[in-house]
Amino acid sequence: MSKLFIKTFGCQMNEYDSSKMADVLKASHGYEVTSDPEAADLLLFNTCSVREKAQEKVFSELGKWKEWKEAKPGRVIGVGGCVASQEGEALAKRARIVDLVFGPQTLHRLPQLLEQTRSTHRPAVDIRFPEIEKFDNLPEPRAEGPSAFVSIMEGCSKYCTFCIVPYTRGEEMSRPLDDVLAEVSSLLDQGVREITLLGQNVNAYRGAMAGDGGTCDLALLIHILARFETLGRIRFTTSHPAEFSDSLIEAYAVEPKLASGVHLPVQSGSDRILGMMKRGYTQAQYLDKIRRLRQARPDLALSSDFIIGFPSETEEDFEQTMAMIDAARVDAAYSFIYSARPGTPAANLRDNISLDVKQQRLERLQTRIRQIGDEYARGLIGTTQKVLVEKTARNPGQLSGKTPCNRPLNFDGPASLIGQFVNIQVAEVLTNSLRGRLLGPAE
């Protein structure tokens, strides 16, 4: 039986795409996934171009794969994802061991690309942006536990000056409502209890509705999904503040199945920097949305994204970001030092801030967010949390799941509880998780 190894970099969208690659290749060629790359007949690298020097990291990794290719010349190596979309044929020319190059929107064509490279003995490249074709050609969704990702849209049309995503994943494209509901229904039939809706800009979802020709936004989709009896919890990521509508805020007030953790990237607290980034909102507008969200859901947990040291960022700009963190009570974040992405408008700006200053600012920001996160976590001690039991924990006899606010929580209990919602009383805050005591079923 042929073996498939997939190495995934990047976001949850990439994790979702990698699972679909495995499904496509299993259905077409019978490939079974292996965790041992040296045992694989087909090695795929699903890449991300958001982080610094993404291309160089890809080529460095491929250098490690070269000896495996030489040891077994019939072995096929493919590169997908955003770096593949960005580099195209140049990737295969630079890394001679690469047989397949495909973008995020063409992963469904992997079987055809595989046959093409085998018959021509030349690299097969497809990095186009077909509209909805990808989702129309994927196998039936396959559950791998009680929680699952469902991609409801692809691409982004915001064109923030620092971001490469619109150029590597294309414009925003939403899946029709019926297609999303069919995928969710199939996953629920397989025992899934929690769904995370995915998109590069997920709250810009505008899915076509059959019949009346209307469209369904994210808030309406959440209301519809909440009516599925066996679906216990709904999450979504990643959001854009400019698209965080009043109706979506209202959903937090009326839909208890909607999780209390919100990831809402702000990037900066300085209106000047936000304007240079072309984010489409001000600090005051962002804070107003957070204020209304907390009114709708008092136990809200807020995570965000920050770019530190954007070109021309002054100490005053940075202090405005720090003040906004305190005002919004951001308790977790993905935060990074700015680095230019070739092909983006911001890459033409002079990066005039020293690395030392960037690192000092990043450390200050991360320290403050950790403090707020610790305060939030300590506030959970003694509360009862509804937890979906997902797996066994590392410690023998313990199980693991996540709270509604997305905090990992471990507790003693039998493995028979996996896949069920239980009530846990939080007893202790650890470095990266919570520990609690099982009270009983939550249903």
Side-chain angles (χ1 to χ4, degrees):
M1 185 174 293
S2 298
K3 298 293 184 181
L4 167 67
F5 174 80
I6 305 178
K7 187 176 184 67
T8 306
F9 279 1
C11 64
Q12 290 160 317
M13 286 291 292
N14 270 24
E15 293 178 25
Y16 176 88
D17 284 349
S18 290
S19 71
K20 295 305 177 185
M21 294 176 199
D23 289 346
V24 166
L25 290 166
K26 181 177 177 62
S28 65
H29 288 74
Y31 277 98
E32 293 291 341
V33 175
T34 177
S35 59
D36 180 6
E38 295 188 63
D41 304 285
L42 172 59
L43 296 96
L44 299 180
F45 192 3
N46 191 10
T47 64
C48 174
S49 59
V50 172
R51 301 294 175 249
E52 184 179 8
K53 299 180 180 178
Q55 289 91 335
E56 295 310 311
K57 291 178 182 178
V58 169
F59 290 114
S60 175
E61 187 70 24
L62 289 173
K64 300 175 187 176
W65 291 13
K66 184 178 180 180
E67 60 184 77
W68 297 333
K69 178 85 167 183
E70 293 172 346
K72 188 177 180 181
R75 180 176 278 143
V76 176
I77 291 179
V79 180
C82 291
V83 172
S85 181
Q86 202 172 354
E87 294 289 308
E89 292 184 1
L91 195 154
K93 290 179 179 178
R94 179 173 170 184
R96 300 288 184 178
I97 64 168
V98 173
D99 305 292
L100 309 171
V101 180
F102 56 99
Q105 312 296 54
T106 52
L107 64 87
H108 62 287
R109 297 178 181 169
L110 269 171
Q112 292 83 3
L113 295 174
L114 191 59
E115 293 305 317
Q116 180 183 331
T117 192
R118 283 173 171 168
S119 62
T120 64
H121 303 289
R122 298 181 62 185
V125 179
D126 192 342
I127 55 170
R128 289 172 290 171
F129 294 140
E131 282 292 315
I132 199 71
E133 178 186 317
K134 167 182 170 180
F135 293 103
D136 288 342
N137 289 274
L138 293 177
E140 285 296 308
R142 177 172 48 88
E144 296 183 342
S147 60
F149 294 136
V150 174
S151 180
I152 63 172
M153 66 169 296
E154 292 260 351
C156 184
S157 303
K158 294 294 179 286
Y159 288 93
C160 298
T161 59
F162 58 83
C163 186
I164 197 68
V165 168
Y167 309 98
T168 57
R169 282 188 177 263
E171 296 272 318
E172 291 167 2
M173 181 278 297
S174 296
R175 296 177 66 188
L177 172 62
D178 284 353
D179 289 4
V180 174
L181 297 182
E183 181 168 344
V184 171
S185 181
S186 175
L187 290 167
L188 295 179
D189 288 343
Q190 298 174 63
V192 167
R193 305 297 310 281
E194 176 183 287
I195 293 291
T196 299
L197 306 173
L198 296 179
Q200 270 75 37
N201 184 16
V202 70
N203 53 340
Y205 175 73
R206 301 292 186 273
M209 301 173 69
D212 63 2
T215 59
C216 174
D217 66 6
L218 180 61
L220 179 56
L221 175 59
I222 288 168
H223 291 309
I224 293 171
L225 292 178
R227 306 285 80 81
F228 283 78
E229 186 175 350
T230 60
L231 179 58
R233 183 168 289 152
I234 304 166
R235 303 184 190 271
F236 61 88
T237 195
T238 292
S239 300
H240 192 291
E243 297 276 3
F244 216 98
S245 64
D246 292 344
S247 59
L248 187 54
I249 293 173
E250 176 64 17
Y252 281 90
V254 300
E255 293 294 358
K257 290 185 178 181
L258 183 56
S260 296
V262 176
H263 185 66
L264 191 55
V266 64
Q267 307 300 355
S268 175
S270 163
D271 288 348
R272 188 182 72 86
I273 296 297
L274 289 171
M276 291 179 65
M277 290 178 168
K278 198 183 172 186
R279 291 293 287 173
Y281 54 84
T282 64
Q283 181 195 111
Q285 290 170 330
Y286 182 87
L287 289 175
D288 180 63
K289 291 179 188 289
I290 301 306
R291 177 185 59 79
R292 291 187 287 132
L293 268 167
R294 293 196 184 280
Q295 288 178 341
R297 187 67 65 86
D299 63 344
L300 187 83
L302 175 64
S303 60
S304 192
D305 291 355
F306 294 92
I307 295 174
I308 305 304
F310 191 79
S312 83
E313 180 189 73
T314 64
E315 190 64 28
E316 181 182 354
D317 292 323
F318 177 70
E319 290 298 341
Q320 290 171 5
T321 297
M322 294 296 289
M324 192 219 63
I325 288 169
D326 281 334
R329 301 296 294 172
V330 178
D331 58 77
Y334 297 101
S335 51
F336 304 94
I337 288 174
Y338 171 78
S339 60
R341 296 294 175 271
T344 62
N348 297 318
L349 299 175
R350 188 166 68 92
D351 191 355
N352 59 345
I353 305 168
S354 72
L355 181 59
D356 284 346
V357 169
K358 291 178 182 179
Q359 289 174 334
Q360 290 168 11
R361 290 176 182 174
L362 180 66
E363 184 177 344
R364 279 185 58 198
L365 178 139
Q366 291 178 338
T367 297
R368 182 59 187 137
I369 292 174
R370 280 196 300 269
Q371 290 170 347
I372 297 173
D374 290 344
E375 292 166 11
Y376 183 93
R378 288 195 297 270
L380 297 175
I381 294 176
T383 65
T384 298
Q385 299 289 318
K386 182 180 178 181
V387 173
L388 175 61
V389 186
E390 296 180 318
K391 58 186 178 181
T392 56
R394 291 182 180 178
N395 294 336
Q398 287 197 333
L399 302 175
S400 181
K402 287 189 176 67
T403 65
C405 59
N406 211 30
R407 291 293 198 282
L409 193 155
N410 297 333
F411 63 95
D412 294 330
S416 59
L417 292 177
I418 293 174
Q420 299 182 38
F421 282 98
V422 295
N423 285 324
I424 305 293
Q425 186 177 61
V426 180
E428 185 180 4
V429 177
L430 305 177
T431 302
N432 296 309
S433 64
L434 305 171
R435 185 168 292 166
R437 180 171 64 87
L438 176 65
L439 299 180
E443 299 163 303

